[in-house]
Amino acid sequence: MSEKPSDAEILKGLADIVEEVAGVATDDVTTEKSFVDDLDIDSLSMVEIAVQAEDKFGVKIPDDELANLKTVGDAVNYIAKNV
Amino acid sequence: MTTLHLAQGAKASRILGVGSFQPERVVTNDELSQRIDTTDQWIRERVGIAERRYAAKDERLVDMAVIAGSKALADAGLSPSDVDTVILANCTMPTPIPNGAAQVADRIGVKAAGAFDLNAACAGFCYALGTASDLVRSGSAGRVLVIGAEKLTDWVDQDDRANAIIFADGAGSAVVGPAETPGIGPVVWGSAGDLVDMIYMRDDKWIYQEGQSVFRWATTQIAPIALRALKAAGITPSDVDVLIPHQANLRIVESIAKKLRANGAREDMVVADDIVHSGNTSSASIPMAMDHMRAAGRIKPGDVAVLVGFGAGLSYAGQVVICP
C-alpha cells in the first residue's frame, strides 16, 4: 500500500482475511473480539491470517508476536504501528 | 594423460513398481485421548488424522523396510537379483551404527548391493528418488530399490500432546530403473539450515517441532518448490493429475493444493490424504500414499504426479513422476 491505511481500513482488510481463512462473517470481526475465545480461531489459522495480513499490509508478523495478538483490536494496532 | 572410462547410463528413468507396509496395530484418536489431554475432534481439526499405525515393540524399522521393498519388487515383476542398489531413506534408526540399508538389501536377497541410508527427514524419499534416478542415468546403478521407512514412535514422547498425536510408523518403496522416455523428472531440492531449530530432538531423545513456525514455513515455502519441479520437468500445473505432498498435516496438504490450483492446477487433481489413516510417517509417507492410492484406484498408470517432501533440517525436495 502506498499510503498508511486507517484503522478502519485495516479492520476491514483483516475481517476479509478472517472470513476467507476461518469462515467467520466479516460483521463478527470487531475490535473487542478474541480470536480464540470469541471467533473460535485456532493457532494454525492464526498463522494463515498472519501470512495473508503480511502480504496485504506489507508488515512482518513473526510467530512470537503473533502470540501477543489476542484480540482483533490487538492485531489492528500492531499492523497500524508496523506498517 | 590417462583418460578414465565412464559408465554409460540409461537415457531416462522411471518408477517400475511401488509397495508399502504398515504395522497391524491401529491407534485411534479416542485411544490417545484416554492417555493424554486431547480429543478426536481436536486432532481431526488441527492435523486431519483419524488413526495411525504403531509398530510392535519388537517390530523394527528394517523389518518394515524389508516388507515394503519386497512388495515394490513384486509389483514391478522383478526379482531381488534384478536390482543392484538399495537406498533406505530414514531418520529413526535406533542407533547410528549399523546403517539399515545393507541389512535390508541382504534380507530381501539383493546380493552385495550398493546400500546406504539417506537422512533428509521427511524430505528423504524425494531426495532418495532423485538420487536413484541419477544413479540409473549415470550408469552407476542398473536398478535401484528406494525405501522410506520410519519407526517414529521410538522417538516420540507419548505424553507430549502436540507431537504424540501426529507421528506413526510404516514403510513405502519404489523400484527405479531405466526407461526410453522420462518417468522421473529432475529433482528440485534445497535446504534452510538457518531454520534448524524449528524441528529438533528435545532432551536429545524426543522429536519436537515448533508447530506454528513449521506450519508457516510449509504453507508458504513448499508450493513454490512443487511449481519449480513442474517447471524443471517442462510441464504446467494443469498437466498434474495427482499431488502427493509429504503427509505432515492435512491442512498443510490442502494449503499446498490450494496454491497449486491458484497457479492453474485442475480442480479434479487428486490430492493425497493418506495422513487421515496413516498419520505422519516422515520419509515413508509419500511412497505409502502412492501405493495406497493406486490400490484404491485413485491413481492410474501414466498419471502425472508431483511429489514434494519437506521437514527437519530444514530440507525439502520435489519432482514430477509418471505413475507406474
Side-chain angles (χ1 to χ4, degrees):
Chain A
M1 287 191 176
S2 52
E3 278 180 38
K4 276 202 170 195
S6 67
D7 284 7
E9 285 168 335
I10 293 171
L11 178 61
K12 188 185 175 307
L14 203 54
D16 288 342
I17 292 170
V18 171
E19 181 180 42
E20 203 222 301
V21 170
V24 176
T26 53
D27 289 349
D28 290 337
V29 184
T30 50
T31 51
E32 78 286 0
K33 294 274 178 66
S34 155
F35 285 110
V36 175
D37 298 332
D38 299 324
L39 301 179
D40 200 23
I41 290 170
D42 68 30
S43 61
L44 299 184
S45 292
M46 280 303 291
V47 173
E48 294 182 277
I49 290 167
V51 167
Q52 290 203 26
E54 288 184 346
D55 288 347
K56 190 166 206 154
F57 299 110
V59 291
K60 279 265 162 251
I61 312 176
D63 291 326
D64 46 351
E65 286 292 342
L66 195 54
N68 301 324
L69 308 182
K70 307 281 188 211
T71 67
V72 174
D74 293 339
V76 171
N77 291 338
Y78 178 87
I79 292 166
K81 209 186 305 174
N82 292 280
V83 72
Chain B
M1 195 175 131
T2 308
T3 303
L4 300 182
H5 173 77
L6 287 178
Q8 286 300 311
K11 269 201 313 209
S13 63
R14 68 184 178 96
I15 296 177
L16 305 171
V18 296
S20 68
F21 172 79
Q22 287 184 289
E24 206 172 294
R25 185 167 168 236
V26 176
V27 177
T28 63
N29 293 343
D30 286 336
E31 181 181 337
L32 288 180
S33 63
Q34 286 166 16
R35 199 183 57 245
I36 48 181
D37 179 22
T38 190
T39 65
D40 177 55
Q41 188 191 356
W42 194 95
I43 296 171
R44 285 176 192 259
E45 285 178 5
R46 295 308 190 287
V47 294
I49 298 171
E51 59 188 23
R52 73 287 287 146
R53 302 288 186 103
Y54 281 11
K57 203 165 184 186
D58 60 355
E59 196 169 29
R60 299 178 305 153
L61 186 156
V62 291
D63 300 328
M64 295 187 280
V66 165
I67 299 171
S70 299
K71 284 183 173 178
L73 283 174
D75 183 54
L78 294 171
S79 308
S81 58
D82 294 322
V83 302
D84 52 33
T85 306
V86 175
I87 307 176
L88 178 62
N90 80 87
C91 57
T92 53
M93 280 290 282
T95 54
I97 293 176
N99 72 19
Q103 51 191 307
V104 168
D106 179 68
R107 283 175 56 188
I108 289 175
V110 186
K111 295 298 172 208
F116 60 96
D117 287 22
L118 185 156
N119 182 349
C122 303
F125 180 77
C126 291
Y127 268 83
L129 186 65
T131 303
S133 174
D134 289 353
L135 289 174
V136 168
R137 291 180 53 231
S138 68
S140 298
R143 294 190 192 88
V144 182
L145 185 60
V146 179
I147 306 170
E150 304 286 1
K151 191 174 180 185
L152 286 144
T153 52
D154 276 349
W155 301 96
V156 169
D157 175 1
Q158 289 298 335
D159 295 325
D160 173 358
R161 69 190 287 259
N163 292 286
I165 63 169
I166 296 173
F167 295 108
D169 304 326
S173 177
V175 189
V176 175
E180 282 300 311
T181 55
I184 301 174
V187 65
V188 169
W189 63 24
S191 61
D194 54 320
L195 303 177
V196 63
D197 291 340
M198 274 194 204
I199 308 171
Y200 57 94
M201 300 304 287
R202 181 169 58 81
D203 301 333
D204 291 332
K205 57 181 177 181
W206 306 125
I207 298 169
Y208 191 84
Q209 50 181 349
E210 300 289 345
Q212 278 190 317
S213 302
V214 172
F215 185 79
R216 184 192 291 242
W217 177 70
T219 55
T220 56
Q221 305 303 310
I222 302 308
I225 305 305
L227 291 170
R228 277 174 51 197
L230 299 181
K231 199 170 174 191
I235 66 170
T236 65
S238 63
D239 296 321
V240 176
D241 300 308
V242 186
L243 167 65
I244 312 180
H246 162 52
Q247 302 288 291
N249 176 325
L250 192 60
R251 285 167 67 172
I252 293 173
V253 169
E254 287 169 351
S255 165
I256 294 169
K258 189 177 170 185
K259 287 200 161 65
L260 288 199
R261 289 191 172 114
N263 280 276
R266 304 193 311 268
E267 281 306 314
D268 69 354
M269 174 179 71
V270 175
V271 180
D273 57 1
D274 199 55
I275 187 171
V276 176
H277 298 290
S278 301
N280 177 341
T281 56
S282 190
S283 67
S285 82
I286 290 174
M288 192 192 291
M290 184 184 274
D291 190 41
H292 289 167
M293 291 165 83
R294 278 176 86 227
R298 295 179 69 199
I299 293 179
K300 303 181 303 298
D303 277 356
V304 175
V306 59
L307 319 180
V308 61
F310 48 93
L314 303 176
S315 304
Y316 51 84
Q319 64 264 96
V320 177
V321 303
I322 306 297
C323 295

